[in-house]
Structures are given as C-alpha cells and as structure tokens.
Amino acid sequence: MRKTIFAICILIIAAVIFVYAQFNTLVKKAVVTYGPEITGTAVGLEGVRISVLSSQGSIEGLTIANPPGFSKSNALEVGEMHVEINAVTVLSDTIEIPRIVITSPHVLYEAGPRGTNLQTIADHALGAEKSEAKAEKADGGKSAGKKVVIGELIIRDAQATMALQGLGGAQVTLPEIRLTNIGKSSGGATFAEVAKIVLDTITKTTAKAAGSIDVQSIINDPGKAVKGVADELKKGLGSLLN
C-alpha cells in the first residue's frame, strides 16, 4: 500500500514538473490554436519566454491578421509584451496574471464599405464569448477551459495607421491604455472575454485618436467611388465616438 501511494506521489510530481517545464510551449500552442477561433483570423506567435520560477517573462511576435474582405496587412502587431504571472495558479482553473505591459504595438484601423477591420474582429470575439457562455451554461455552469484574472494591462506608445481600404493612410500615436482587474468580479474571464475587452478598448481609443484627422487628407483619389468609402469611415468613427 505504501509503495502504491509513493508511486502515485512520484507520478503527480513528475506530471507537475512536466507541465512547468513545457509551460512556454503549451502557451504558444494555445495561442496559435485557439486564437483564430476567437478573432476569426490567423494568429501568429514567435515565442514565449516566461520563467515559472521568477514568475515573469515575455511573449514575442504576436500578430493578428486582418479579417476577410480587408487588406492582407496585419490588424495588430506586437513585438514584445512583458508578463508577470502567479506561478502557483498555473495548474488551477483560474490563472492570476498581476501585470501585462505591451510596448509599441502597431494597430491598423482600416475602413471599408462593410465597416472596419477592428470592429469585425471584435464582433467575432463577442460571438466566441457568447458561444463559451452558452456551452458553460449547458454544462451546469462548469467552465470548459481555464480562466484568467488580470490585475493590470497596459498598452504604451502604440502606433496606429488609419486607412481607407485600398488607399493611403495616416499615422497617429495612441494615448496609453490601462485596464485593471479584468475578470476579478466574475471569478475569472475566459480568453474570449479578455480578447473582446481589449479589442473593444483599442478600437474605441483608435477611433477617438482619428477624430483629429481630416479624412479627406488620406484620400489619394477624390473620385465618387472613394467618397463612398470615406463616408463609411466617418460613419464608423461617429458610431464609435458616441
């Protein structure tokens, strides 16, 4: 009996060590596998370097592609983000992340006849969030996946390109974005919920920053067809600013 208990303990310890050792690989796989389900677009990630022992590290080369119907450029590019994590919670249902700092990301805000790229991605994330909530309710309130609580998420020195589909663009610098206590009141937020919150905030912040730009200044061809697209951009900005 003692040998059996000892063997079980050894297996549990070995499993824990394996998970911690493979943590970075597991995070990267989760992002590139489940990210597209949330955004509705391709999601890329170059690397994850988080030390469970020091409870901090970085995530590098995150990209979110534009949705169908827009240009082939990426909607979001993040060179590096600093992450602090509560290592004790890695194996729990809710992972605690005290702080995330994203520095100098590039955002593409592209408007076309069917709306904007960022809002299209945010709407898809909302659909994913609702699907997760429906599945959780059907399962008696039990979450199908891990949740997170993020103490503070900061986006600094973000550069945004405001563009009309198929035309030129104008560059703007976004003000600092600071979100706090994501998922805290609900006992944890799903990754779809976090994505929706962040994308909505980026979209609205970018739209406000675009308010000072003369839309006509980024139009290369003042023809009738272009005017229709310009009107769509103005309409989109107006709805976001209200």
Side-chain angles (χ1 to χ4, degrees), residues 156-189:
R156 294 174 175 156
D157 303 323
Q159 299 295 314
T161 298
M162 318 298 299
L164 295 176
Q165 195 170 31
L167 301 173
Q171 298 288 329
V172 295
T173 298
L174 302 183
E176 181 174 285
I177 296 173
R178 187 181 297 264
L179 301 171
T180 59
N181 298 323
I182 299 175
K184 184 176 181 179
S185 61
S186 60

mmCIF file of all heavy atoms in Angstrom, residues 156-189:
data_model
loop_
_atom_site.group_PDB
_atom_site.id
_atom_site.type_symbol
_atom_site.label_atom_id
_atom_site.label_comp_id
_atom_site.label_asym_id
_atom_site.label_seq_id
_atom_site.Cartn_x
_atom_site.Cartn_y
_atom_site.Cartn_z
ATOM 1 N N ARG A 156 1.362 50.809 -24.130
ATOM 2 C CA ARG A 156 2.082 52.075 -24.223
ATOM 3 C C ARG A 156 2.647 52.314 -25.619
ATOM 4 O O ARG A 156 3.035 51.377 -26.309
ATOM 5 C CB ARG A 156 3.248 52.102 -23.219
ATOM 6 C CG ARG A 156 2.834 52.107 -21.763
ATOM 7 C CD ARG A 156 4.038 51.982 -20.875
ATOM 8 N NE ARG A 156 3.691 52.096 -19.461
ATOM 9 C CZ ARG A 156 4.424 51.595 -18.482
ATOM 10 N NH1 ARG A 156 5.555 50.966 -18.745
ATOM 11 N NH2 ARG A 156 4.030 51.741 -17.219
ATOM 12 N N ASP A 157 2.704 53.593 -25.997
ATOM 13 C CA ASP A 157 3.368 54.015 -27.234
ATOM 14 C C ASP A 157 2.866 53.263 -28.465
ATOM 15 O O ASP A 157 3.648 52.908 -29.354
ATOM 16 C CB ASP A 157 4.890 53.834 -27.113
ATOM 17 C CG ASP A 157 5.471 54.601 -25.929
ATOM 18 O OD1 ASP A 157 4.987 55.716 -25.665
ATOM 19 O OD2 ASP A 157 6.383 54.077 -25.271
ATOM 20 N N ALA A 158 1.584 53.028 -28.508
ATOM 21 C CA ALA A 158 1.005 52.328 -29.660
ATOM 22 C C ALA A 158 0.918 53.262 -30.856
ATOM 23 O O ALA A 158 0.537 54.424 -30.732
ATOM 24 C CB ALA A 158 -0.381 51.799 -29.315
ATOM 25 N N GLN A 159 1.284 52.750 -32.021
ATOM 26 C CA GLN A 159 1.189 53.495 -33.267
ATOM 27 C C GLN A 159 0.046 52.901 -34.096
ATOM 28 O O GLN A 159 -0.055 51.689 -34.217
ATOM 29 C CB GLN A 159 2.492 53.413 -34.056
ATOM 30 C CG GLN A 159 3.689 53.991 -33.333
ATOM 31 C CD GLN A 159 3.561 55.491 -33.093
ATOM 32 O OE1 GLN A 159 3.188 56.233 -34.003
ATOM 33 N NE2 GLN A 159 3.846 55.932 -31.874
ATOM 34 N N ALA A 160 -0.781 53.763 -34.627
ATOM 35 C CA ALA A 160 -1.919 53.296 -35.417
ATOM 36 C C ALA A 160 -1.887 53.904 -36.814
ATOM 37 O O ALA A 160 -1.548 55.076 -36.987
ATOM 38 C CB ALA A 160 -3.235 53.653 -34.732
ATOM 39 N N THR A 161 -2.220 53.079 -37.790
ATOM 40 C CA THR A 161 -2.376 53.548 -39.158
ATOM 41 C C THR A 161 -3.864 53.609 -39.467
ATOM 42 O O THR A 161 -4.569 52.604 -39.368
ATOM 43 C CB THR A 161 -1.688 52.603 -40.165
ATOM 44 O OG1 THR A 161 -0.289 52.569 -39.895
ATOM 45 C CG2 THR A 161 -1.907 53.085 -41.592
ATOM 46 N N MET A 162 -4.338 54.800 -39.811
ATOM 47 C CA MET A 162 -5.740 54.986 -40.182
ATOM 48 C C MET A 162 -5.811 54.930 -41.703
ATOM 49 O O MET A 162 -5.173 55.738 -42.381
ATOM 50 C CB MET A 162 -6.240 56.345 -39.696
ATOM 51 C CG MET A 162 -5.791 56.723 -38.294
ATOM 52 S SD MET A 162 -6.410 55.558 -37.058
ATOM 53 C CE MET A 162 -8.171 55.779 -37.285
ATOM 54 N N ALA A 163 -6.532 53.975 -42.241
ATOM 55 C CA ALA A 163 -6.536 53.791 -43.692
ATOM 56 C C ALA A 163 -7.928 53.536 -44.241
ATOM 57 O O ALA A 163 -8.773 52.916 -43.591
ATOM 58 C CB ALA A 163 -5.622 52.624 -44.068
ATOM 59 N N LEU A 164 -8.135 54.019 -45.451
ATOM 60 C CA LEU A 164 -9.311 53.661 -46.225
ATOM 61 C C LEU A 164 -8.919 52.483 -47.105
ATOM 62 O O LEU A 164 -7.820 52.457 -47.657
ATOM 63 C CB LEU A 164 -9.768 54.823 -47.097
ATOM 64 C CG LEU A 164 -10.272 56.059 -46.353
ATOM 65 C CD1 LEU A 164 -10.595 57.170 -47.338
ATOM 66 C CD2 LEU A 164 -11.495 55.718 -45.525
ATOM 67 N N GLN A 165 -9.785 51.523 -47.212
ATOM 68 C CA GLN A 165 -9.471 50.291 -47.916
ATOM 69 C C GLN A 165 -8.961 50.569 -49.338
ATOM 70 O O GLN A 165 -9.626 51.205 -50.142
ATOM 71 C CB GLN A 165 -10.711 49.403 -47.971
ATOM 72 C CG GLN A 165 -10.421 47.966 -48.344
ATOM 73 C CD GLN A 165 -11.659 47.108 -48.142
ATOM 74 O OE1 GLN A 165 -12.772 47.571 -48.281
ATOM 75 N NE2 GLN A 165 -11.453 45.847 -47.817
ATOM 76 N N GLY A 166 -7.749 50.100 -49.608
ATOM 77 C CA GLY A 166 -7.158 50.241 -50.924
ATOM 78 C C GLY A 166 -6.515 51.587 -51.184
ATOM 79 O O GLY A 166 -6.006 51.834 -52.273
ATOM 80 N N LEU A 167 -6.510 52.460 -50.163
ATOM 81 C CA LEU A 167 -5.956 53.793 -50.351
ATOM 82 C C LEU A 167 -4.830 54.054 -49.357
ATOM 83 O O LEU A 167 -4.403 53.168 -48.641
ATOM 84 C CB LEU A 167 -7.069 54.839 -50.188
ATOM 85 C CG LEU A 167 -8.235 54.681 -51.163
ATOM 86 C CD1 LEU A 167 -9.336 55.654 -50.809
ATOM 87 C CD2 LEU A 167 -7.771 54.895 -52.594
ATOM 88 N N GLY A 168 -4.375 55.311 -49.302
ATOM 89 C CA GLY A 168 -3.290 55.668 -48.404
ATOM 90 C C GLY A 168 -3.742 55.706 -46.954
ATOM 91 O O GLY A 168 -4.907 55.485 -46.636
ATOM 92 N N GLY A 169 -2.797 56.025 -46.052
ATOM 93 C CA GLY A 169 -3.112 56.043 -44.635
ATOM 94 C C GLY A 169 -2.405 57.169 -43.916
ATOM 95 O O GLY A 169 -1.503 57.800 -44.451
ATOM 96 N N ALA A 170 -2.836 57.427 -42.692
ATOM 97 C CA ALA A 170 -2.218 58.438 -41.848
ATOM 98 C C ALA A 170 -1.844 57.791 -40.524
ATOM 99 O O ALA A 170 -2.552 56.917 -40.016
ATOM 100 C CB ALA A 170 -3.183 59.595 -41.620
ATOM 101 N N GLN A 171 -0.714 58.215 -39.956
ATOM 102 C CA GLN A 171 -0.214 57.649 -38.707
ATOM 103 C C GLN A 171 -0.646 58.500 -37.522
ATOM 104 O O GLN A 171 -0.589 59.725 -37.575
ATOM 105 C CB GLN A 171 1.314 57.573 -38.744
ATOM 106 C CG GLN A 171 1.887 56.690 -39.838
ATOM 107 C CD GLN A 171 1.679 55.211 -39.571
ATOM 108 O OE1 GLN A 171 1.641 54.780 -38.427
ATOM 109 N NE2 GLN A 171 1.556 54.432 -40.627
ATOM 110 N N VAL A 172 -1.048 57.832 -36.457
ATOM 111 C CA VAL A 172 -1.360 58.530 -35.207
ATOM 112 C C VAL A 172 -0.764 57.748 -34.045
ATOM 113 O O VAL A 172 -0.590 56.531 -34.127
ATOM 114 C CB VAL A 172 -2.886 58.680 -34.978
ATOM 115 C CG1 VAL A 172 -3.500 59.571 -36.031
ATOM 116 C CG2 VAL A 172 -3.567 57.317 -34.946
ATOM 117 N N THR A 173 -0.425 58.464 -32.974
ATOM 118 C CA THR A 173 0.061 57.820 -31.757
ATOM 119 C C THR A 173 -1.089 57.743 -30.766
ATOM 120 O O THR A 173 -1.740 58.756 -30.483
ATOM 121 C CB THR A 173 1.219 58.618 -31.140
ATOM 122 O OG1 THR A 173 2.305 58.664 -32.071
ATOM 123 C CG2 THR A 173 1.711 57.944 -29.861
ATOM 124 N N LEU A 174 -1.349 56.570 -30.243
ATOM 125 C CA LEU A 174 -2.468 56.387 -29.326
ATOM 126 C C LEU A 174 -2.055 56.739 -27.898
ATOM 127 O O LEU A 174 -0.909 56.510 -27.503
ATOM 128 C CB LEU A 174 -2.968 54.940 -29.366
ATOM 129 C CG LEU A 174 -3.425 54.398 -30.715
ATOM 130 C CD1 LEU A 174 -3.961 52.970 -30.540
ATOM 131 C CD2 LEU A 174 -4.496 55.283 -31.331
ATOM 132 N N PRO A 175 -2.978 57.266 -27.120
ATOM 133 C CA PRO A 175 -2.684 57.515 -25.707
ATOM 134 C C PRO A 175 -2.545 56.182 -24.965
ATOM 135 O O PRO A 175 -2.968 55.141 -25.461
ATOM 136 C CB PRO A 175 -3.916 58.289 -25.225
ATOM 137 C CG PRO A 175 -5.013 57.858 -26.154
ATOM 138 C CD PRO A 175 -4.354 57.656 -27.484
ATOM 139 N N GLU A 176 -1.936 56.227 -23.811
ATOM 140 C CA GLU A 176 -1.754 54.995 -23.033
ATOM 141 C C GLU A 176 -3.101 54.390 -22.649
ATOM 142 O O GLU A 176 -4.026 55.088 -22.257
ATOM 143 C CB GLU A 176 -0.945 55.282 -21.769
ATOM 144 C CG GLU A 176 -0.690 54.038 -20.920
ATOM 145 C CD GLU A 176 0.235 54.312 -19.744
ATOM 146 O OE1 GLU A 176 1.451 54.458 -19.972
ATOM 147 O OE2 GLU A 176 -0.271 54.393 -18.608
ATOM 148 N N ILE A 177 -3.182 53.090 -22.796
ATOM 149 C CA ILE A 177 -4.387 52.339 -22.420
ATOM 150 C C ILE A 177 -4.077 51.554 -21.154
ATOM 151 O O ILE A 177 -3.069 50.856 -21.078
ATOM 152 C CB ILE A 177 -4.812 51.379 -23.547
ATOM 153 C CG1 ILE A 177 -5.221 52.159 -24.798
ATOM 154 C CG2 ILE A 177 -5.952 50.474 -23.081
ATOM 155 C CD1 ILE A 177 -5.493 51.269 -26.008
ATOM 156 N N ARG A 178 -4.943 51.670 -20.162
ATOM 157 C CA ARG A 178 -4.725 50.963 -18.893
ATOM 158 C C ARG A 178 -6.042 50.317 -18.452
ATOM 159 O O ARG A 178 -7.025 51.002 -18.164
ATOM 160 C CB ARG A 178 -4.231 51.930 -17.823
ATOM 161 C CG ARG A 178 -3.815 51.260 -16.508
ATOM 162 C CD ARG A 178 -3.362 52.323 -15.512
ATOM 163 N NE ARG A 178 -2.179 53.018 -15.996
ATOM 164 C CZ ARG A 178 -0.936 52.692 -15.655
ATOM 165 N NH1 ARG A 178 -0.729 51.662 -14.849
ATOM 166 N NH2 ARG A 178 0.088 53.379 -16.119
ATOM 167 N N LEU A 179 -6.051 49.002 -18.412
ATOM 168 C CA LEU A 179 -7.215 48.243 -17.955
ATOM 169 C C LEU A 179 -6.855 47.530 -16.655
ATOM 170 O O LEU A 179 -5.744 47.005 -16.519
ATOM 171 C CB LEU A 179 -7.638 47.220 -19.012
ATOM 172 C CG LEU A 179 -8.012 47.771 -20.387
ATOM 173 C CD1 LEU A 179 -8.196 46.626 -21.382
ATOM 174 C CD2 LEU A 179 -9.275 48.608 -20.300
ATOM 175 N N THR A 180 -7.773 47.512 -15.706
ATOM 176 C CA THR A 180 -7.479 46.891 -14.412
ATOM 177 C C THR A 180 -8.552 45.879 -14.007
ATOM 178 O O THR A 180 -9.715 45.993 -14.395
ATOM 179 C CB THR A 180 -7.360 47.955 -13.305
ATOM 180 O OG1 THR A 180 -8.590 48.691 -13.217
ATOM 181 C CG2 THR A 180 -6.216 48.911 -13.598
ATOM 182 N N ASN A 181 -8.106 44.908 -13.240
ATOM 183 C CA ASN A 181 -8.992 43.906 -12.626
ATOM 184 C C ASN A 181 -9.904 43.207 -13.631
ATOM 185 O O ASN A 181 -11.106 43.022 -13.394
ATOM 186 C CB ASN A 181 -9.832 44.558 -11.524
ATOM 187 C CG ASN A 181 -8.970 45.121 -10.397
ATOM 188 O OD1 ASN A 181 -7.947 44.531 -10.041
ATOM 189 N ND2 ASN A 181 -9.358 46.247 -9.858
ATOM 190 N N ILE A 182 -9.337 42.803 -14.743
ATOM 191 C CA ILE A 182 -10.105 42.063 -15.748
ATOM 192 C C ILE A 182 -10.451 40.679 -15.198
ATOM 193 O O ILE A 182 -9.571 39.908 -14.815
ATOM 194 C CB ILE A 182 -9.302 41.914 -17.048
ATOM 195 C CG1 ILE A 182 -8.986 43.291 -17.642
ATOM 196 C CG2 ILE A 182 -10.072 41.061 -18.070
ATOM 197 C CD1 ILE A 182 -8.086 43.232 -18.865
ATOM 198 N N GLY A 183 -11.723 40.365 -15.152
ATOM 199 C CA GLY A 183 -12.168 39.062 -14.674
ATOM 200 C C GLY A 183 -12.254 38.923 -13.171
ATOM 201 O O GLY A 183 -12.695 37.883 -12.667
ATOM 202 N N LYS A 184 -11.870 39.936 -12.410
ATOM 203 C CA LYS A 184 -11.833 39.813 -10.951
ATOM 204 C C LYS A 184 -13.221 39.654 -10.343
ATOM 205 O O LYS A 184 -13.450 38.801 -9.483
ATOM 206 C CB LYS A 184 -11.141 41.033 -10.343
ATOM 207 C CG LYS A 184 -10.968 40.941 -8.829
ATOM 208 C CD LYS A 184 -10.185 42.130 -8.288
ATOM 209 C CE LYS A 184 -10.010 42.006 -6.779
ATOM 210 N NZ LYS A 184 -9.218 43.145 -6.235
ATOM 211 N N SER A 185 -14.165 40.475 -10.770
ATOM 212 C CA SER A 185 -15.500 40.447 -10.172
ATOM 213 C C SER A 185 -16.269 39.170 -10.475
ATOM 214 O O SER A 185 -17.156 38.776 -9.720
ATOM 215 C CB SER A 185 -16.314 41.657 -10.655
ATOM 216 O OG SER A 185 -16.470 41.619 -12.065
ATOM 217 N N SER A 186 -15.921 38.506 -11.596
ATOM 218 C CA SER A 186 -16.642 37.297 -12.001
ATOM 219 C C SER A 186 -15.903 36.012 -11.637
ATOM 220 O O SER A 186 -16.328 34.923 -12.003
ATOM 221 C CB SER A 186 -16.898 37.320 -13.515
ATOM 222 O OG SER A 186 -15.666 37.377 -14.225
ATOM 223 N N GLY A 187 -14.765 36.160 -10.945
ATOM 224 C CA GLY A 187 -14.005 34.970 -10.570
ATOM 225 C C GLY A 187 -13.153 34.443 -11.709
ATOM 226 O O GLY A 187 -12.696 33.300 -11.674
ATOM 227 N N GLY A 188 -12.936 35.268 -12.711
ATOM 228 C CA GLY A 188 -12.113 34.855 -13.851
ATOM 229 C C GLY A 188 -12.805 35.106 -15.168
ATOM 230 O O GLY A 188 -14.024 34.954 -15.290
ATOM 231 N N ALA A 189 -12.038 35.540 -16.168
ATOM 232 C CA ALA A 189 -12.577 35.786 -17.504
ATOM 233 C C ALA A 189 -12.005 34.768 -18.480
ATOM 234 O O ALA A 189 -10.850 34.355 -18.348
ATOM 235 C CB ALA A 189 -12.218 37.197 -17.969
#
